[in-house]
Amino acid sequence: MTESVTRASDEYEALAPLLPDDFSNPDDDLDTVREKFAEVHGHDPGDGVVVEDASSGLGVWVRPDSRDHRGTIFFVHGGGFVTSNAMSYAFYGAA
């Protein structure tokens, strides 16, 4: 009989050594979880990018910091708004 082994993705295997040992602790309260995830999310979207909260609260506006831009991206956060907010994911919309 062949034994089946479940393995994490290559991406997780690359990320895991960078996280603190207590990163995933089921006893953490919500504020602690958000503080830990802030280290993973919330990257600067880069120079020349403006990010503004959308009035809906469900996304952010991401646009170049110039008057002659050809478009705007409305990036909608796809998560459950538990560990972080839409603004912390804005760098994805700026990529």
Side-chain angles (χ1 to χ4, degrees):
M1 180 173 177
T2 303
E3 184 177 326
S4 175
V5 177
T6 302
R7 183 175 164 278
S9 69
D10 291 339
E11 292 81 4
Y12 176 79
E13 293 293 339
L15 178 64
L18 304 175
L19 301 174
D21 290 337
D22 67 341
F23 187 75
S24 178
N25 183 342
D27 295 326
D28 285 345
D29 62 23
L30 183 57
D31 288 335
T32 302
V33 170
R34 288 181 173 170
E35 184 178 308
K36 288 179 178 181
F37 269 82
E39 296 177 24
V40 179
H41 300 297
H43 304 291
D44 185 343
D47 292 336
V49 177
V50 175
V51 179
E52 300 170 326
D53 280 318
S55 60
S56 69
L58 300 176
V60 294
W61 291 102
V62 180
R63 63 176 173 78
D65 186 17
S66 68
R67 294 194 178 272
D68 56 335
H69 63 276
R70 291 181 280 169
T72 298
I73 297 171
F74 180 63
F75 176 75
V76 179
H77 182 279
F81 297 101
V82 176
T83 60
S84 49
N85 59 24
M87 187 63 81
S88 66
Y89 284 86
F91 68 98
Y92 289 118

